[in-house]
Amino acid sequence: MSSLPRRATSTAKPVILEEDELPSFLKSNSESEEEEEDEEEEWEPKRKTARKPRLPKTNESKPKKVAAPRSTGVRKRAGKTAVKGEPDLSLPIDAGEDSKGGLQLLQPKEDRPTKQKTATKNRKVPMGAKINSVQKTSISNLESDETPSTSAPLGTEVKQEKSEEDFTFDEPPLKRIKSATCPQGNPVKHPGSTKVKEELEMNWDIVQALAERTNIEPWVCANIIRLFNDENTIPFIARYRKELINNLEADALREVQQTLEELRTVAKKTHGTIQKLKKEGKLSGSLLTALLNCRTLEELDHVYAPYKTGSKGTKAQRAKQLGLEPAAISLIENPGELNLFSYVKPNVKGLSTVPEVEAGVQHILADMFAKDKDTLDFIRILCQQRYICLQSALAKVSSKSVNEKDVDKFQLYHNFSCNIRNIQHHQILAINRGENLKILTVKVNVPDGVKNEFCRWCVNERWRPKRYAKPELMKILHNSVEDSYKRLIYPLLCREFRSKLTSDAEKESVMMFGRNLRQLLLTSPVRGRTLMGVDPGYKHGCKLAIISPTSQILHTDVVYLHSGQGFREAEKIRRLLLQYSCSTVVIGNGTACRETEAYFADLIMKKYFAPLDVVYCIANEAGASIYSVSPEACKEMPDLDPNLRSAVSIARRVQDPLAELVKIEPKHIGVGMYQHDVSQTLLKATLDSVVEECVSFVGVDINICSEILLRHIAGLNANRAKNIIEWREKNGPFINREQLKEVKGLGPKTFQQCAGFIRFNQEYIKAFCSSQQKELIAKGHAGVQITNAKQGKKRSKPTTNVMLQPNPLDQTCIHPESYNIAMRFLTFTGGNPNDIGKPDMQQKVNSVIQKEGTEGAAKMLNTTVHTLQLIIDGLTQPEGFDIRTDFDKPDFKRSIVCLEDLSVGAVLTGKVENATLFGAFVDIGVGKSGLIPIRNITEAKLSKAKKRRSLGLGPGERVEVKVLNVDIPRSRITLDLIRVL
C-alpha cells in the first residue's frame, strides 16, 4: 500500500513494499510458476518513464509583478512548475448530467454566461489545465463585482492581493474580491468536467476508479485530486475548501489520498512494465491492452509474470515457441480445418506425439482464458454471489519449532472458518500473524459449484468454437478450461481475495490508530495548576518533577517509596507539595504504578498533606522513556538526567497533552492494534497527518509556541519552523499574519496553507506595539515602520512609512483570503473588529442571522454558506477559544479500588485507554483495564456529540460501565457499556 505524505504534494510517492512486509500469500506466484521459474529480483520501473520536461522552479520569495500573459509553450505542466501568479483554472464539478450525458461544473445559475467575453480570449493557460469557452467565460464572470466570492479560491495565491489593503481597519472594505473559482455547489452544464489529466494514462479513468473504491461522488473526487495536485494540505482542505469536497472530514480525505496513490502506483508500475517489454521486444497489442486494463498490483503481476526477465517461461510460452499457437487459435476460430497430426515432429520434444501436441494446445488455451478480461470478470462476479470462506488450521510442524505460549495465543484460529464477506478485520490480522509465525496454515475455499458453472459458461458461451468441432477437440477445450481454472485462475482469485482482505484490514487498523491518536492529542488541557509528575519505579526509586502552570521546571528529585523508606520519604513529598502549592499529582502507568498509586491514595485518605486537598490521576507514559533520551529532550532539558526528564514529560502530558505528545513519534504512544503487522510507511504517514491535523485545528500562538509544535502546522516543516523562530528572535514578536511573508522560505503557497492556523494574542501584541510606539516618539521617529525587510531581497515598491498595526482577525480561525468578506459582514452587522469574541458581537451576529438566515446573509455578501459559517464562528468564539474544551479532562481521584472488590453487576465509571477493532479497554481504577467487547458498543449508547464528531469511542472518553465477568486468576474483566459521560 502506498504511503501518505505528511503534507499533500502534487506528486504522489508510491511505496513498493519490501518482501518482509508482504504477507506470505503474496510472495509467490501460482503453483506451476513456482516450479518453472527461477528466483529473480523484483523489477522496478525506470523513473525516466513517461516523464514530461520540467522547468526550473521560480523563486517564490521574490515579489511577483502582474506581467503580460506568457505563452503556453513555456509551461508544460500545471503542477509545481506553474507560475504562482496565475490562478488554477480547474473548476468544481457536480454529478448532474446534461443532454450529452456529461457532468456539470459547480457555478450559480444566475451567473451562467450567455456570451463569451473578449477579455479572456487571449488568456494563456498551462497545457495541463483543460479549459474551454465555458470555463473562460466563468472565470471572467468571477472577476466581476456581482460574482459570489469564497474563502476557497482553488489555486488563488495570497501574494496577488495588496498587503496595504488586506489589513486595514480604518477604511471601507474592498468591493472587488479576487477569486479563481466558484465552488458554491449550484450546477451549470459542462460535459466531461470530471476528467482529470493524469501524467500516466490507463484504460480506466482515475476519477471514476477513485469514486468506485471510496464511494464518494465523482465530482468530489475530481476536486480532491486537483486540490492535492495543487499542493494543498489535508487540514487546509478540510477547513477552508468544504464546498469543493462536499464537507468531507479529514479521515475521509486521507482515505481518498491513500486510494489515489495506490491507483497512481499501479499506473506508474504498469507504464514502467510497458517500457521494459517494449525494449525487450515482447510487447504485443493484446498484451498492451491487458496491461493498461490492470487496476491492482495483483492483476499487473498476473499479466506480467510470464514475461519477467530470467524466467524459463510458462508452459504456454514454451508451447508457443514450438509453433502451436496457430493450432490453439484455429480450435476456437475454425476447428473444422484443424489437423493436429500436421504438427507432429518425431524428433522434437513436445511435438513427438499427438498427446504432446494436444497438451501444448491446451496450455496455450488455458493461458488465453486466464488473461482474458471478460473471463476474469465473470468468475469474479460469480464468486461474489457464492459462499467463499477463509479457513485456518494449526500447522503440523508448529508444535516443534514454535513456543507453546505463542501457539495458545492463536487458539481461536486452530480450526477457524468464516465467510470472507463477514470476517472481521482484526481476525484477518491475527490469522496473517499466525501464518507468518508458521503456527497456522490458511487457505481460501471456493465451492466446486463455482468451478462447474464457470467451465460450462466458458465452453458453451465465451470460448465456444465458432464452427462445429469434433469431440476430440471439444475434449481439449474442456481440459483447457479446467486446467486454466485449477492452475491459473483459482490461485489468482486466492491471492486477490487475501490481498483485498489484508489491505482493508491494514487500512482499518491504521485508521483506528489515527482515531485513537486524535482523541488522545485533543484531550482537554489542565490549565492553571502546578503539577507533580511521578515516574514510578522499584529499585531505582520514583522520579519526581514539579512544573509550574506555564510548564517551567520548578524542582526535580528522586524518592524511594517501595524499599522500606516510604514513611521517611512521605515527609519530603509533603514539604515539596507545600513549598510549591502543588495539589495535583500525575502518576505514570508503567512499572510500580499500582503500588505508587496505593501509596499516594493512603496518604490522601489520612489527610497527610493538609491543608492541601491533594488529588492524583494516572497518565499514559508510553513513549516517555524514548523521548527522554532523544536529541529533542537533550536540547530542551540539557542539565537533567533522562529519568527525571520522563517525570517532566508525564506531568506535561496532563497540563497540555498536544504540546507534549507531538514530541514523541506517534507509533510509540501505544494506542494502536497490530501496529507492527501493518505497513510501517503507511502507518507513519497517517499518524503524522493526524498530528498535523490536530495541531492545525487547535492552532498555535506564533509568538510563544515551540519549534517542535510549529513544524506540525499545515504547510510548515522543520526548516520553515526554524526560520520562523529565528525571525522571531531577531526581529521581536510577530504583529500580524502578513509578517509571515517576511520569513525566509515562506512563499505564497506556504502562507496560504499555514496562515489560518496561526494565532496572535491581541493583548500581548497591543502592549508590544504601544511600547514600541512610545520609544519611537521619544526618539522622534514616529513615522518609521517597525518591520524589517528580508535580507538580500529587493522590493518592487518602496516601503511606506506606516506603523504596522495588529489585526483583530488574526486571533480567529478566519483565513486571510476571507478578511475582506469578514469586514463586509462586520459592516453589515454594525460590529467593531475590536469586539471580536465579546457578548456584544455575539448578539449583533445572532440578530443578523436570525433575520436574514445563513443562506440569505451569504447571498448578500456574495460568498458561500461554509465560508460565512467559518466567519461567524471566528467572530463569535471567545478570545483564546480552544476546540479541546469539548473533550474530556483526566479523572482526578483520592481513593483506590482493588480487583477483588469488583462484583458482577457493579456499575462503575472509567476512562477509555485504547480502542481496537474488537473492543475498547477501559481503566476503571483497579490496576487492570477491562474490555468492552465491540458487540456491546452500540450507536444508541453514544452521545449525540460523539456521533456528530464521528469520534466513536476512543482514548480519553469517560464512560459508565457494568461489570459482566471478573476472572481474577487471569486478571480479565469483561464490561458492558451503559453510556458515554
Side-chain angles (χ1 to χ4, degrees):
M1 194 181 300
S2 56
S3 67
L4 226 179
R6 191 165 71 86
R7 286 164 181 80
T9 60
S10 62
T11 304
K13 297 181 180 178
V15 173
I16 306 300
L17 295 176
E18 300 294 338
E19 184 71 18
D20 55 358
E21 287 188 11
L22 289 171
S24 60
F25 59 86
L26 289 179
K27 295 180 182 178
S28 61
N29 297 319
S30 59
E31 297 176 2
S32 64
E33 292 170 352
E34 285 182 345
E35 298 172 358
E36 297 173 343
E37 296 183 12
D38 294 330
E39 293 183 358
E40 57 187 4
E41 295 181 357
E42 181 72 12
W43 174 82
E44 296 285 343
K46 295 183 179 180
R47 293 188 178 181
K48 296 182 180 179
T49 302
R51 181 167 293 185
K52 296 183 179 180
R54 294 187 178 184
L55 286 176
K57 279 191 174 181
T58 57
N59 192 345
E60 293 182 359
S61 60
K62 292 183 179 179
K64 296 186 173 48
K65 298 181 180 180
V66 180
R70 301 174 65 182
S71 64
T72 54
V74 177
R75 299 192 326 200
K76 299 294 184 182
R77 305 175 64 178
K80 291 184 177 180
T81 58
V83 176
K84 294 288 184 179
E86 287 193 23
D88 185 350
L89 300 178
S90 57
L91 293 178
I93 45 190
D94 195 3
E97 297 183 357
D98 64 355
S99 58
K100 298 180 181 179
L103 294 166
Q104 302 175 344
L105 284 172
L106 292 178
Q107 185 176 354
K109 295 179 180 178
E110 58 269 34
D111 289 336
R112 292 181 182 177
T114 57
K115 185 176 180 181
Q116 182 173 350
K117 292 188 178 181
T118 58
T120 58
K121 187 175 182 180
N122 297 323
R123 182 188 295 271
K124 302 297 182 180
V125 298
M127 291 180 67
K130 292 186 176 181
I131 182 167
N132 58 17
S133 60
V134 177
Q135 286 174 307
K136 292 180 181 178
T137 311
S138 301
I139 293 166
S140 63
N141 284 349
L142 285 169
E143 295 178 351
S144 67
D145 291 1
E146 293 80 23
T147 307
S149 57
T150 174
S151 68
L154 187 57
T156 299
E157 298 301 335
V158 184
K159 281 278 188 182
Q160 290 177 304
E161 300 179 5
K162 295 181 180 180
S163 60
E164 291 87 339
E165 297 172 335
D166 278 349
F167 305 97
T168 54
F169 285 84
D170 54 348
E171 296 178 322
L174 298 178
K175 294 181 180 179
R176 184 184 178 93
I177 308 301
K178 296 186 179 181
S179 177
T181 59
C182 192
Q184 276 71 21
N186 298 323
V188 62
K189 292 183 179 181
H190 182 82
S193 54
T194 57
K195 295 294 182 183
V196 177
K197 182 71 175 177
E198 284 291 308
E199 191 172 317
L200 301 174
E201 294 293 338
M202 300 289 287
N203 283 352
W204 39 266
D205 180 58
I206 193 165
V207 174
Q208 293 299 327
L210 192 61
E212 290 171 6
R213 289 200 185 185
T214 58
N215 293 322
I216 294 175
E217 297 92 332
W219 68 271
V220 177
C221 291
N223 286 342
I224 292 174
I225 292 174
R226 292 186 180 110
L227 287 166
F228 283 143
N229 287 348
D230 201 31
E231 301 184 14
N232 292 288
T233 60
I234 287 178
F236 177 80
I237 296 172
R239 175 173 285 183
Y240 299 112
R241 297 293 183 263
K242 290 184 177 181
E243 48 277 304
L244 288 176
I245 61 172
N246 203 19
N247 209 21
L248 289 180
E249 294 185 351
D251 280 341
L253 287 174
R254 265 189 291 274
E255 183 181 354
V256 173
Q257 190 180 43
Q258 291 173 17
T259 308
L260 174 63
E261 292 187 3
E262 288 174 10
L263 293 171
R264 284 176 170 168
T265 300
V266 173
K268 181 177 179 180
K269 193 166 183 179
T270 298
H271 280 266
T273 303
I274 291 171
Q275 293 298 321
K276 183 179 177 67
L277 292 172
K278 186 183 296 183
K279 185 177 179 181
E280 295 172 354
K282 301 178 181 178
L283 188 64
S284 63
S286 59
L287 178 58
L288 176 62
T289 303
L291 288 170
L292 292 177
N293 284 335
C294 294
R295 296 196 180 200
T296 65
L297 292 175
E298 288 72 39
E299 290 183 39
L300 177 62
D301 184 66
H302 177 69
V303 174
Y304 173 61
Y307 304 95
K308 286 184 178 179
T309 305
S311 172
K312 295 178 182 178
T314 61
K315 293 178 178 180
Q317 284 181 310
R318 293 200 291 270
K320 289 178 181 179
Q321 291 171 0
L322 293 173
L324 295 177
E325 188 171 12
I329 296 175
S330 180
L331 192 149
I332 302 295
E333 301 290 338
N334 193 8
E337 297 180 2
L338 177 60
N339 184 7
L340 296 179
F341 290 98
S342 62
Y343 290 91
V344 176
K345 297 180 181 179
N347 298 327
V348 179
K349 184 178 180 182
L351 299 176
S352 58
T353 62
V354 173
E356 288 186 355
V357 173
E358 291 178 351
V361 172
Q362 174 182 314
H363 294 151
I364 294 174
L365 290 174
D367 184 68
M368 288 171 55
F369 303 159
K371 300 293 171 56
D372 181 65
K373 184 178 183 297
D374 293 337
T375 304
L376 292 177
D377 288 344
F378 177 83
I379 189 68
R380 290 182 181 121
I381 294 173
L382 197 59
C383 288
Q384 291 176 4
Q385 301 169 351
R386 299 300 182 91
Y387 181 88
I388 313 295
C389 66
L390 185 72
Q391 298 176 338
S392 66
L394 183 65
K396 295 180 180 178
V397 296
S398 61
S399 59
K400 300 179 181 178
S401 57
V402 182
N403 192 332
E404 196 76 27
K405 292 182 179 179
D406 291 336
V407 175
D408 292 339
K409 291 179 181 178
F410 299 93
Q411 186 174 3
L412 291 174
Y413 304 101
H414 288 180
N415 188 17
F416 177 83
S417 178
C418 184
N419 189 337
I420 61 173
R421 288 192 289 270
N422 300 329
I423 194 167
Q424 300 297 312
H425 295 303
H426 66 274
Q427 293 174 328
I428 292 292
L429 295 173
I431 289 172
N432 288 349
R433 178 184 286 184
E435 184 182 33
N436 291 332
L437 293 174
K438 302 189 184 306
I439 296 175
L440 301 175
T441 57
V442 187
K443 72 173 183 177
V444 178
N445 187 9
V446 180
D448 292 338
V450 172
K451 174 188 173 184
N452 297 334
E453 188 172 345
F454 171 74
C455 292
R456 282 196 300 271
W457 177 81
C458 285
V459 173
N460 297 328
E461 295 185 36
R462 179 69 181 92
W463 298 102
R464 182 176 181 176
K466 295 184 178 180
R467 298 182 182 179
Y468 172 76
K470 297 178 182 179
E472 55 267 24
L473 295 182
M474 290 302 295
K475 184 179 179 181
I476 295 176
L477 183 61
H478 275 280
N479 293 339
S480 300
V481 172
E482 291 189 1
D483 179 51
S484 178
Y485 176 84
K486 180 180 178 181
R487 184 167 55 86
L488 300 173
I489 295 178
Y490 172 72
L492 172 65
L493 291 174
C494 292
R495 290 197 301 273
E496 284 185 352
F497 287 141
R498 295 209 57 194
S499 176
K500 179 69 166 57
L501 291 172
T502 299
S503 175
D504 291 346
E506 285 191 353
K507 281 183 180 179
E508 185 59 33
S509 177
V510 170
M511 296 300 283
M512 174 65 76
F513 200 148
R515 289 192 292 269
N516 290 345
L517 178 63
R518 180 194 292 108
Q519 289 198 231
L520 195 61
L521 292 175
L522 294 181
T523 302
S524 187
V526 178
R527 306 288 192 189
R529 292 198 189 200
T530 302
L531 302 177
M532 173 184 281
V534 182
D535 184 6
Y538 290 114
K539 184 178 180 181
H540 299 289
C542 298
K543 279 66 69 177
L544 307 180
I546 298 179
I547 63 171
S548 70
T550 57
S551 295
Q552 300 299 316
I553 302 173
L554 302 178
H555 182 80
T556 58
D557 212 329
V558 180
V559 293
Y560 298 88
L561 307 181
H562 312 300
S563 57
Q565 306 178 33
F567 180 76
R568 187 174 63 186
E569 299 288 18
E571 182 60 30
K572 179 192 289 187
I573 295 174
R574 180 176 182 272
R575 187 174 69 252
L576 290 174
L577 293 176
L578 290 172
Q579 179 181 349
Y580 294 102
S581 299
C582 176
S583 59
T584 307
V585 179
V586 182
I587 304 172
N589 66 344
T591 306
C593 166
R594 185 64 176 165
E595 291 79 4
T596 306
E597 180 187 9
Y599 177 85
F600 276 95
D602 182 57
L603 294 177
I604 291 171
M605 293 298 292
K606 294 177 180 178
K607 302 187 182 300
Y608 184 78
F609 301 118
L612 293 176
D613 183 17
V614 176
V615 295
Y616 72 90
C617 70
I618 307 297
N620 186 351
E621 66 174 46
S625 299
I626 296 174
Y627 166 71
S628 65
V629 295
S630 67
E632 296 290 350
C634 296
K635 181 180 178 181
E636 185 182 4
M637 298 174 278
D639 300 328
L640 280 187
D641 181 84
N643 294 320
L644 296 174
R645 293 174 190 160
S646 297
V648 174
S649 179
I650 289 170
R652 286 177 174 172
R653 287 186 183 202
V654 171
Q655 191 172 67
D656 192 347
L658 181 63
E660 188 63 24
L661 291 174
V662 295
K663 303 174 184 177
I664 301 165
E665 196 171 353
K667 68 179 182 180
H668 296 312
I669 295 179
V671 288
M673 179 197 71
Y674 293 101
Q675 66 185 69
H676 301 294
D677 295 341
V678 303
S679 168
Q680 295 303 297
T681 313
L682 173 64
L683 178 65
K684 184 179 187 307
T686 302
L687 298 184
D688 287 345
S689 177
V690 171
V691 173
E692 180 185 67
E693 172 200 337
C694 293
V695 176
S696 298
F697 284 175
V698 170
V700 297
D701 189 328
I702 188 70
N703 290 316
I704 63 172
C705 67
S706 66
E707 180 181 330
I708 297 175
L709 195 63
L710 195 60
R711 70 178 59 160
H712 292 288
I713 286 289
L716 300 183
N717 53 27
N719 289 334
R720 291 167 183 163
K722 182 180 179 182
N723 292 340
I724 290 175
I725 299 299
E726 289 178 353
W727 193 99
R728 189 174 73 189
E729 293 174 351
K730 181 179 180 180
N731 301 284
F734 288 87
I735 306 301
N736 58 34
R737 285 170 171 166
E738 180 70 9
Q739 275 187 295
L740 285 168
K741 298 177 181 179
E742 303 283 343
V743 179
K744 178 183 176 183
L746 262 71
K749 192 66 186 180
T750 302
F751 177 82
Q752 181 195 46
Q753 298 299 304
C754 72
F757 306 114
I758 287 176
R759 304 281 185 271
F760 293 79
N761 186 303
Q762 292 299 299
E763 293 183 2
Y764 173 74
I765 295 299
K766 288 177 182 177
F768 174 79
C769 289
S770 177
S771 64
Q772 289 290 315
Q773 191 170 15
K774 289 179 181 179
E775 291 180 10
L776 291 172
I777 291 174
K779 295 178 181 179
H781 301 288
V784 180
Q785 191 178 6
I786 294 176
T787 56
N788 297 323
K790 288 186 180 180
Q791 298 296 327
K793 304 287 183 182
K794 293 183 180 180
R795 288 190 175 271
S796 58
K797 295 182 180 179
T799 56
T800 55
N801 294 329
V802 178
M803 178 74 69
L804 194 61
Q805 295 295 327
N807 188 335
L809 292 176
D810 287 342
Q811 67 179 316
T812 70
C813 60
I814 304 172
H815 197 279
E817 66 190 7
S818 299
Y819 278 4
N820 291 320
I821 304 172
M823 290 303 300
R824 287 158 55 198
F825 182 67
L826 279 173
T827 304
F828 184 67
T829 59
N832 189 316
N834 294 318
D835 294 334
I836 290 176
K838 297 181 180 178
D840 184 50
M841 176 66 73
Q842 295 177 6
Q843 292 176 1
K844 291 179 179 179
V845 171
N846 291 337
S847 63
V848 170
I849 297 302
Q850 289 175 1
K851 181 180 178 181
E852 303 291 342
T854 306
E855 293 184 2
K859 189 174 182 180
M860 284 191 296
L861 293 169
N862 293 329
T863 187
T864 66
V865 174
H866 291 296
T867 302
L868 180 59
Q869 187 59 53
L870 203 61
I871 291 173
I872 292 172
D873 292 340
L875 296 178
T876 57
Q877 287 169 350
E879 186 176 355
F881 173 77
D882 194 331
I883 63 171
R884 292 175 292 177
T885 54
D886 291 339
F887 293 77
D888 297 304
K889 294 183 178 180
D891 282 328
F892 295 103
K893 303 188 293 183
R894 293 181 175 83
S895 60
I896 190 171
V897 181
C898 298
L899 182 64
E900 291 75 12
D901 297 335
L902 292 180
S903 59
V904 175
V907 177
L908 306 167
T909 59
K911 184 175 68 173
V912 178
E913 283 192 334
N914 189 17
T916 67
L917 298 176
F918 53 84
F921 290 94
V922 180
D923 178 12
I924 53 176
V926 297
K928 183 68 178 179
S929 296
L931 174 66
I932 307 177
I934 193 67
R935 62 179 178 273
N936 294 338
I937 306 175
T938 61
E939 188 176 350
K941 297 177 182 178
L942 300 177
S943 65
K944 292 182 180 179
K946 307 299 179 188
K947 296 176 191 175
R948 185 175 64 250
R949 296 204 306 262
S950 300
L951 294 173
L953 201 60
E957 302 279 3
R958 294 187 68 249
V959 294
E960 187 175 43
V961 295
K962 181 170 72 172
V963 179
L964 298 180
N965 183 41
V966 181
D967 187 347
I968 295 179
R970 296 185 179 183
S971 298
R972 292 181 180 176
I973 308 167
T974 306
L975 306 171
D976 182 24
L977 175 64
I978 297 177
R979 62 190 177 99
V980 179
L981 301 176

